[in-house]
Amino acid sequence: MNISLSGLHWEVKGYWPYVPEKEKSMETGQTLHGVTDWLPAKVPGGVHYDLFRAGLIENPYYGKNSLHCEWAENRWWMYRAGFPSVFNGCDLAKERVRLTFEGVDYEASIFFNDQLCAEHKGMYEPFSIDLTGRIREENKLVVLLKGIPQEMGQIGYTSRTFTQKSRFNYKWDFSTRLVNIGIWKDVVLEVPGQAELSDLHLDTGYYEETGRIYVSGQGQDYRNCRETPLWVRITAEDPGTRCSGDAELIREQGAGTAGRTAGKRDGISRTVPLCDGRFDTVLLVEDPLLWYPNGAGPQYLYRIRIELLEEKDGRENVLYQTERNTDIRSLKMVHNEKEHENALPYTFEVNGRKLYIKGVNMTPLDHIYGNVTKEQYGYMVSAMVNAGVNLVRVWGGGLIEKEEFYDLCDENGILIWQEFIQSSSGIDNKPSEQEEFLELLKKTAECAVREKRNHVSLAVYSGGNELMKAPDRPCGMENKNIAMLEEIVRRLDGRRAFLPTSASGPREFVTSEKGVSHDVHGSWRYEGNPGHYVLYGESDSLFHSEFGMDAASCEKSLKKFLPRASLHPTPMSQDPCWQHHGEWWGTYFRDCEMFGSIEKTPENLGLFTRCSQYMQGEGLRFILEADRRRAWQNSGTIIWQLNEPWPNASCTNLVDYYGETKTAYYQVKRAYEERHVSLDYRTLTYKKGENFCLPFYVSNSGEAFSGKVRILVRSLSGKVISEDSRRAEIPENRSIQAGITEGTVPEEALFFVTLYLEEEGRTLSENTYMFGTREKEVFAPLFKNTGRAELKSEKWETCRDGRQCVKATLTNTGDRAVLDAGIALAGNQYYLLGSDNDRVLFPGEERTFSFVLIPKKSGGFSESENYDGSEVPKLTVHWL
């Protein structure tokens, strides 16, 4: 039995450093007071949010308030709570009891009934205290947190890193300095009873149409006298329901789990003896129901019951049991086609079939990560599923996330690239080899592998982010630090791949030089016209595990955290609040170069954000399409980044802190669709009257089919300038050049090329590209005419999962095409995810989008937006 202590009445109090250890003044003998009174506290949580709720700090996410909150990290904080001996129906005084802290951030002393019980340092290593025989009628628990270590943020020396604390807290390009301190995971009373099972390891494989479920672990008998041998029985219940990978309707968090009731077949059971306290066995499953990544098939999960038992007097006595979910699938990494010399394997193969990686990088969801809720994780996973994502990289400068996130990835088919907690620092990027650090890293890594190895979604480990032996030269397995991590993975997991770092080289950053781009990072900005298209269109990278494109947040979000005086278009350097919320980024000059001068007035804020987001979508789309066109020489892309841990005025994220999607989110969704048609080009500008010759491609992640590609060239007014179509035989799981479209550049300042991929009259993919005939300010002619998107109709209904859905029809009532015509919500209590959104809409054209509304149930500083049923959702329309 496990009893969570999160529901206790927790309080927290701040002190100057060392004061709690001294208690009384040496000079006067008086009791030394704290810097705060006792305040209500949330556990799990973080001190900053408790201070905010008590009115002692202002919201650090607004304006420059975070600068006034840095004092909190430099104080010591004491948590306290109490509980009785009879608790949750259990008389703890009569039981074997362990007090387990799943995550304390960062250095703590633990007192139980006024006795010092433990000292601990580190975020990720759980630790336990034996309370057996120490329980009183009323019990007092005190946790003293001794400030934070003075670690480095993004700029510093990786070789001097000395902690396993999440470094993004100390300032990164997408965050501020707001260093969490608190109890960030649950505190649990564990009451094991007569015996228990621990160190469980579940893994699976699939060979020759037979599934294998590998189960091992440790058993412990706490009885004074063991009269009979102990056995372990493992039962796998066949999934009774299909977990659909179809993201047309966003699935409710947790709804993907297969039912526990056996379906068409009975469960499989095996009993093995416990030998020297250990057991290790394999269950064979004939013709199993397989687990697939999102978009490749269903996610069947088998329910595994593991029982520790004895037979006595002809009767079976179950001493302990636990249940877990697992899958059956094969997973390995194989070498790329046409790969470069000495390259590592980068192609993922699941159930014997190559899987093109359509990935995103995920940062922590909040600076105060202890307050992140399962529902917040659920929304992020839903956003991945909806966008066609099949892999998420959990970045090494962030967190080893809570178990809820990994469970949701299991249930929804999102593979995980798990990095250990190490990252580049700019000045030097060599991983630390200090003995004290290596010992701390070893403990963290061993705990992480033991905990995460049981998840079907876990696909590959990496030593950390951008670890280099020299500038632009990633570390390899020869590094002492990396070799230690590889040995831990091999010893404790054994069946998953390990990469030394991301990128894994031999060059760190994308380059036009041939033969050296294996797994690469970069770039994170639009490289200009035509430079952007030449660099990525000619790349020969094997894998692209981090790259991005920046854009401003939407006007609705900017108004939540920028003071009124800052609500206007601006370069970062000319407004301190914009600079504080994203100083590394800012697209003002880029967007003026492409769209013409944008006046720095409040009235132009919406215009500016839409221009900025269009360019992010345009830049990302080209990289994704260029890489995917080269499958299987290139085996995947992982976008930097899906989300952000605090509100940025401008950043490389697809979904902002408040859950609002940028235009690029839907461009990514289209680029990641199963069957996708794309245009290959090297510039956005052409001369009037010149001939163009543009190849077009079909990328297919599904079965082979016979299709047709239809090409329309249109003017800004929507007039059809030319039309063409080509038949194509599209092979299974491949990208091919399906043809070339040729024509003459029209006498227009702007023109559009739209590709339709069709099968038997049904449109499978549609993609529109905008080009111009001006050398500078290419898209400025867009504003010489008037375009307008209007909401023609909306149809509200209840989805089959019980949530609100809406179908919205937009129409263009103006005289020119509008870009990124789409739907958003006016209010704050819902997230909004659509089947499609943000499309080019020509004059007189109509489009219908379908959306699901997901109630917000967040923690921390965004709690004020949580769903309480009071808000009537209202649709808003945007366009450029």
Side-chain angles (χ1 to χ4, degrees):
M1 177 192 299
N2 288 349
I3 303 172
S4 171
L5 299 185
S6 62
L8 297 180
H9 176 63
W10 286 91
E11 294 180 303
V12 68
K13 185 174 183 177
Y15 293 88
W16 290 100
Y18 299 101
V19 167
E21 293 185 351
K22 177 66 176 172
E23 189 178 8
K24 292 186 178 181
S25 167
M26 180 175 63
E27 291 79 9
T28 66
Q30 292 180 335
T31 299
L32 296 169
H33 298 289
V35 295
T36 72
D37 293 327
W38 285 105
L39 311 171
K42 280 197 170 186
V43 172
V47 165
H48 291 84
Y49 187 57
D50 298 328
L51 292 174
F52 170 69
R53 289 195 303 154
L56 296 181
I57 62 172
E58 295 183 273
N59 187 340
Y61 292 5
Y62 183 83
K64 297 193 294 179
N65 286 348
S66 70
L67 298 175
H68 307 302
C69 302
E70 294 182 13
W71 63 269
E73 68 194 45
N74 297 307
R75 305 295 184 267
W76 286 23
W77 297 94
M78 183 180 288
Y79 285 82
R80 72 180 184 187
F83 59 89
S85 61
V86 179
F87 189 38
N88 273 27
C90 179
D91 190 346
L92 300 174
K94 297 179 180 179
E95 299 285 350
R96 178 179 296 275
V97 181
R98 277 196 309 267
L99 174 65
T100 297
F101 290 85
E102 296 180 352
V104 173
D105 191 9
Y106 181 78
E107 182 177 355
S109 297
I110 312 299
F111 299 85
F112 183 70
N113 290 336
D114 298 320
Q115 299 262 328
L116 177 63
C117 296
E119 302 270 6
H120 181 79
K121 183 185 293 185
M123 280 181 62
Y124 303 108
E125 183 187 2
F127 63 99
S128 298
I129 302 163
D130 189 355
L131 298 184
T132 306
R134 303 167 68 175
I135 300 294
R136 299 176 184 173
E137 186 174 345
E138 294 294 334
N139 300 277
K140 178 183 176 184
L141 176 60
V142 172
V143 180
L144 176 62
L145 295 171
K146 301 178 180 181
I148 62 144
Q150 293 303 313
E151 187 54 274
M152 290 168 284
Q154 188 167 10
I155 304 301
Y157 299 83
T158 302
S159 62
R160 301 179 192 176
T161 300
F162 66 100
T163 72
Q164 277 288 275
K165 183 159 173 59
S166 183
R167 282 181 51 202
F168 86 98
N169 266 183
Y170 291 84
K171 179 68 181 89
W172 221 266
D173 58 74
F174 55 82
S175 64
T176 188
R177 183 184 175 99
L178 192 67
V179 188
N180 185 70
I181 181 170
I183 303 172
W184 79 284
K185 288 187 176 181
D186 207 356
V187 184
V188 178
L189 288 176
E190 298 178 343
V191 186
Q194 302 177 82
E196 70 177 324
L197 294 165
S198 61
D199 196 27
L200 294 176
H201 184 185
L202 276 71
D203 197 5
T204 63
Y206 176 61
Y207 313 101
E208 299 178 350
E209 299 185 355
T210 300
R212 290 165 170 80
I213 302 177
Y214 305 96
V215 189
S216 64
Q218 181 173 309
Q220 180 68 47
D221 187 358
Y222 294 120
R223 297 171 300 171
N224 293 329
C225 179
R226 198 177 98 183
E227 301 176 357
T228 58
L230 297 184
W231 298 77
V232 178
R233 180 168 59 210
I234 302 100
T235 303
E237 295 182 353
D238 211 43
T241 56
R242 180 184 184 276
C243 305
S244 173
D246 183 2
E248 290 181 3
L249 180 68
I250 308 304
R251 289 166 288 176
E252 188 171 5
Q253 292 84 352
T257 306
R260 290 184 52 192
T261 303
K264 61 182 180 180
R265 296 168 292 190
D266 294 331
I268 298 170
S269 184
R270 182 177 177 84
T271 302
V272 296
L274 191 67
C275 299
D276 296 324
R278 300 281 310 175
F279 69 96
D280 190 342
T281 190
V282 58
L283 274 67
L284 300 181
V285 184
E286 299 299 329
D287 190 24
L289 299 170
L290 299 181
W291 183 97
Y292 288 89
N294 180 42
Q299 291 80 50
Y300 289 109
L301 294 178
Y302 285 74
R303 190 66 171 173
I304 307 297
R305 184 171 64 253
I306 309 171
E307 299 166 295
L308 182 62
L309 52 90
E310 66 174 357
E311 289 188 10
K312 187 174 182 181
D313 300 328
R315 299 181 62 182
E316 195 175 81
N317 181 25
V318 177
L319 305 176
Y320 182 90
Q321 80 170 39
T322 185
E323 295 187 0
R324 304 286 179 91
N325 284 332
T326 192
D327 72 307
I328 294 178
R329 55 103 178 94
S330 67
L331 171 65
K332 61 180 179 179
M333 297 183 73
V334 300
H335 285 275
N336 294 42
E337 298 177 5
K338 302 178 184 178
E339 69 179 5
H340 310 315
E341 185 177 0
N342 299 321
L344 296 171
Y346 294 113
T347 298
F348 289 73
E349 188 178 278
V350 181
N351 299 331
R353 189 175 188 269
K354 291 180 180 179
L355 178 78
Y356 191 83
I357 293 302
K358 304 168 185 177
V360 290
N361 285 272
M362 192 179 85
T363 71
L365 273 58
D366 204 295
H367 267 283
I368 314 304
Y369 30 78
N371 287 318
V372 171
T373 65
K374 181 178 180 179
E375 288 79 11
Q376 284 175 277
Y377 283 128
Y379 171 64
M380 283 300 150
V381 173
S382 292
M384 295 179 207
V385 171
N386 185 54
V389 168
N390 57 27
L391 181 142
V392 59
R393 174 174 168 241
V394 182
W395 170 71
L399 297 172
I400 298 169
E401 295 286 352
K402 297 179 184 179
E403 277 289 272
E404 292 95 333
F405 172 70
Y406 299 83
D407 289 338
L408 287 163
C409 288
D410 290 345
E411 295 162 8
N412 290 278
I414 305 297
L415 293 173
I416 293 176
W417 174 316
Q418 179 65 60
E419 295 198 334
F420 295 109
I421 302 302
Q422 299 191 103
S423 183
S424 58
S425 301
I427 300 176
D428 88 35
N429 305 296
K430 183 179 178 181
S432 174
E433 297 184 15
Q434 302 172 66
E435 290 303 321
E436 184 178 354
F437 174 78
L438 291 179
E439 185 60 30
L440 188 59
L441 176 62
K442 179 181 179 182
K443 290 179 180 179
T444 295
E446 288 181 340
C447 287
V449 173
R450 281 193 168 97
E451 182 178 77
K452 306 310 180 190
R453 66 188 178 183
N454 295 325
H455 289 279
V456 47
S457 52
L458 180 59
V460 60
Y461 298 93
S462 167
N465 174 66
E466 296 179 352
L467 305 174
M468 303 178 224
K469 57 189 175 185
D472 198 30
R473 299 298 187 273
C475 284
M477 299 294 190
E478 72 283 352
N479 180 275
K480 180 180 179 181
N481 177 308
I482 301 301
M484 180 190 75
L485 292 173
E486 191 274 338
E487 186 279 330
I488 290 170
V489 169
R490 181 164 32 86
R491 170 167 49 90
L492 297 180
D493 190 325
R495 278 185 279 268
R496 287 184 177 89
F498 175 84
L499 294 173
T501 183
S502 177
S504 51
R507 295 292 178 85
E508 180 72 29
F509 304 112
V510 65
T511 175
S512 57
E513 183 180 348
K514 302 304 179 185
V516 295
S517 293
H518 296 190
D519 169 24
V520 293
H521 281 192
S523 175
W524 295 266
R525 286 185 181 274
Y526 183 68
E527 296 293 332
N529 178 42
H532 188 83
Y533 308 98
V534 173
L535 174 63
Y536 295 110
E538 303 298 329
S539 172
D540 66 350
S541 67
L542 304 181
F543 200 84
H544 208 169
S545 60
E546 184 182 316
F547 61 94
M549 207 66 47
D550 51 336
S553 292
C554 67
E555 185 176 10
K556 173 183 173 182
S557 292
L558 293 174
K559 290 179 176 178
K560 293 180 181 180
F561 63 88
L562 291 180
R564 187 172 182 178
S566 296
L567 292 173
H568 55 83
T570 180
M572 287 290 180
S573 60
Q574 295 181 18
D575 187 283
C577 285
W578 279 74
Q579 187 173 9
H580 188 61
H581 288 264
E583 62 180 312
W584 283 47
W585 308 111
T587 65
Y588 180 80
F589 295 115
R590 177 197 75 185
D591 302 331
C592 287
E593 182 179 342
M594 299 301 296
F595 288 93
S597 179
I598 302 173
E599 292 186 23
K600 303 171 190 177
T601 62
E603 294 75 20
N604 280 331
L605 182 61
L607 171 67
F608 168 63
T609 61
R610 300 249 56 91
C611 290
S612 180
Q613 291 191 22
Y614 178 85
M615 289 307 302
Q616 180 190 29
E618 161 66 24
L620 274 180
R621 173 178 64 175
F622 186 84
I623 299 173
L624 295 172
E625 291 177 342
D627 283 340
R628 191 177 176 188
R629 283 194 285 263
R630 293 186 296 107
W632 293 98
Q633 181 194 38
N634 177 279
S635 55
T637 53
I638 311 180
I639 298 163
W640 186 266
Q641 65 217 73
L642 173 66
N643 63 304
E644 60 185 4
W646 96 308
N648 285 284
S650 189
C651 190
T652 51
N653 56 308
L654 305 179
V655 180
D656 72 23
Y657 176 75
Y658 301 102
E660 304 290 337
T661 56
K662 293 182 177 178
T663 293
Y665 173 84
Y666 287 97
Q667 283 286 32
V668 169
K669 176 177 168 61
R670 291 189 280 272
Y672 277 172
E673 62 194 351
E674 181 182 33
R675 296 168 177 176
H676 182 70
V677 62
S678 65
L679 192 67
D680 191 12
Y681 51 100
R682 295 293 179 271
T683 181
L684 294 176
T685 54
Y686 295 87
K687 294 181 180 178
K688 295 178 180 179
E690 77 169 305
N691 294 328
F692 63 80
C693 182
L694 299 174
F696 55 88
Y697 288 74
V698 175
S699 297
N700 178 29
S701 298
E703 297 179 353
F705 68 100
S706 179
K708 181 176 75 172
V709 177
R710 189 161 54 92
I711 306 105
L712 281 182
V713 179
R714 284 177 280 191
S715 68
L716 185 60
S717 65
K719 178 184 176 182
V720 176
I721 298 170
S722 65
E723 186 172 1
D724 192 9
S725 67
R726 308 289 172 82
R727 301 292 310 181
E729 297 299 321
I730 313 301
E732 177 183 0
N733 208 22
R734 285 272 171 184
S735 292
I736 65 160
Q737 181 176 327
I740 296 174
T741 183
E742 300 179 80
T744 302
V745 176
E747 297 292 320
E748 306 276 351
L750 294 173
F751 65 98
F752 300 80
V753 178
T754 301
L755 305 178
Y756 301 91
L757 175 63
E758 298 173 342
E759 181 187 30
E760 298 179 351
R762 182 169 60 100
T763 300
L764 304 177
S765 174
E766 176 190 340
N767 217 348
T768 297
Y769 302 83
M770 181 169 66
F771 299 97
T773 56
R774 295 169 51 135
E775 291 187 7
K776 296 181 179 180
E777 300 180 351
V778 182
F779 300 146
L782 193 69
F783 306 116
K784 291 183 178 180
N785 304 82
T786 302
R788 181 174 181 81
E790 292 185 359
L791 182 62
K792 181 178 180 181
S793 65
E794 53 186 295
K795 181 180 179 181
W796 293 85
E797 56 189 8
T798 301
C799 303
R800 61 177 177 266
D801 65 357
R803 290 179 295 190
Q804 290 191 76
C805 295
V806 60
K807 289 185 178 180
T809 299
L810 297 184
T811 183
N812 183 351
T813 59
D815 60 2
R816 66 152 172 96
V818 293
L819 312 181
D820 299 339
I823 292 292
L825 284 175
N828 298 312
Q829 290 187 16
Y830 297 90
Y831 302 116
L832 186 72
L833 289 178
S835 60
D836 198 5
N837 205 5
D838 298 344
R839 282 281 194 176
V840 176
L841 200 61
F842 289 94
E845 186 178 9
E846 293 182 1
R847 276 189 191 275
T848 300
F849 303 131
S850 297
F851 299 91
V852 60
L853 281 69
I854 303 174
K856 290 187 179 181
K857 297 179 181 178
S858 56
F861 294 99
S862 58
E863 275 188 0
S864 61
E865 298 193 338
N866 280 353
Y867 176 78
D868 61 12
S870 64
E871 182 179 279
V872 176
K874 180 181 178 182
L875 302 182
T876 63
V877 180
H878 55 251
W879 70 91
L880 176 59

